[in-house]
Amino acid sequence: MSNSKETPKLTAGQEEKLKLITRNLQEVLGEDRLKEILTKRDLKVTGELPPQANLTSATLFPCVKLQTSSRPGSTRLDVYKIASNVTEHDAKKAGTEVVKQVNHPLLSSLLYPCLQALDEEYLKVDAQFGGNDQRKIFVFAGECLPQIGYDKRIHLMNPMVPGLKGSKMSSSEEDSKIDLLDSEEQLKRKINQAFCEPGNVDDNGVLSFCEHVLLPLRNSKDFEIKRAPEHGGNMMFKTFEELKDAFKKQTVHPGDLKKAVEGYLNELLKPIRAEFSSPEMKDLVARPTQKNQRRRRQLAFFIIAPVLNNLHSPTKAPALNSQCTLL
């Protein structure tokens, strides 16, 4: 007789929640545990907001997934416990993709994976959400927490989204990303310069915006690409797969796709720009101090989340109602 645990049976509503949670993710570690939780209650999730100096398009990806709540503190004793079990090699390996690698690392960089692992316990969450570059830290957390008496968590991973230049989105490369406070003119320039080769659906930042931000927020509303009648007239797409296939077959021209993305992004960014138009907010954005940087990130999420909620109509799909914390 098999001792393996049966996969939990989900209701139709729970299946829909699972689909929403895992949509567009590259990998899920602990899917059976995720299903088990959904049979009992809503999922509690934590994630890290990218620490860019500016409010960039990278901020949108976790925001589309998560809602925010307050962050409790952590404890010194558990840091000591983890530190007593973790070697320097393991700590460096866990942070390889997200911590700057140097010959003589600071102690803080070695503690980073330990502290991120402990966040899962002290935030009382079931899952942590992040980019696939966080995988080593997630695996590290899954190994370390049980060693000090805490449960292993679920880990949800987004694929690494290409920037507008076709490579990985970078905070240091201005034109590889959209700043959330970019003017319409700045947005137009960046989109027009973006890599969007005809028929190329790989490393295409413009298409990635459609897949990970614009189409999910449209919540089954058609994605419209406007074209002159002599060029075939307007095109409507219900899913990203339809859009991707049409672009691959070159029935959608890069110029037409860029115009559509520019229009939808301006629609998305307009209320965010308005919220940051006050003198106080302009001053906060203009002065890149460490204190202001953290405050900007917090304010950005509190402002962006309601905007996303308004765009994503709750009448068309069941809400996740997940308890989420953004670090």
Side-chain angles (χ1 to χ4, degrees), residues 54-194:
N54 293 316
L55 305 173
T56 73
S57 47
T59 312
L60 283 173
F61 298 108
C63 289
V64 170
K65 281 280 186 185
L66 302 176
Q67 295 178 356
T68 188
S69 65
S70 61
R71 177 184 181 179
S74 61
T75 176
R76 186 182 306 172
L77 180 59
D78 279 338
V79 175
Y80 293 156
K81 287 181 180 179
I82 283 191
S84 69
N85 291 328
V86 175
T87 66
E88 177 191 9
H89 173 269
D90 290 343
K92 288 180 69 174
K93 180 181 177 182
T96 300
E97 299 295 330
V98 293
V99 177
K100 186 176 181 180
Q101 300 298 296
V102 295
N103 291 331
H104 303 287
L106 295 174
L107 180 59
S108 58
S109 68
L110 299 177
L111 285 175
Y112 182 92
C114 305
L115 297 174
Q116 185 168 331
L118 284 174
D119 279 335
E120 298 178 353
E121 174 62 26
Y122 283 90
L123 292 170
K124 301 301 178 187
V125 296
D126 305 305
Q128 185 170 178
F129 167 73
N132 197 50
D133 59 342
Q134 300 269 331
R135 192 181 195 282
K136 289 181 180 178
I137 287 185
F138 289 167
V139 171
F140 174 85
E143 294 171 350
C144 287
L145 289 187
Q147 291 177 0
I148 60 172
Y150 296 136
D151 291 336
K152 181 178 180 178
R153 265 50 177 204
I154 301 159
H155 295 102
L156 311 170
M157 282 167 275
N158 254 356
M160 298 308 296
V161 179
L164 295 177
K165 293 297 186 180
S167 56
K168 179 181 175 181
M169 191 181 298
S170 170
S171 60
S172 61
E173 189 175 357
E174 180 63 27
D175 288 341
S176 76
K177 64 190 186 302
I178 301 296
D179 285 355
L180 301 187
L181 302 181
D182 276 347
S183 66
E184 292 188 11
E185 293 75 19
Q186 290 171 315
L187 179 63
K188 178 184 286 291
R189 177 182 61 79
K190 289 182 179 181
I191 294 294
N192 285 343
Q193 293 179 355

Side-chain angles (χ1 to χ4, degrees), residues 11 13 20 35 50 62 76 121 131 220 308:
T11 65
L20 286 172
K35 292 178 180 178
R76 186 182 306 172
E121 174 62 26
S220 301
L308 300 185

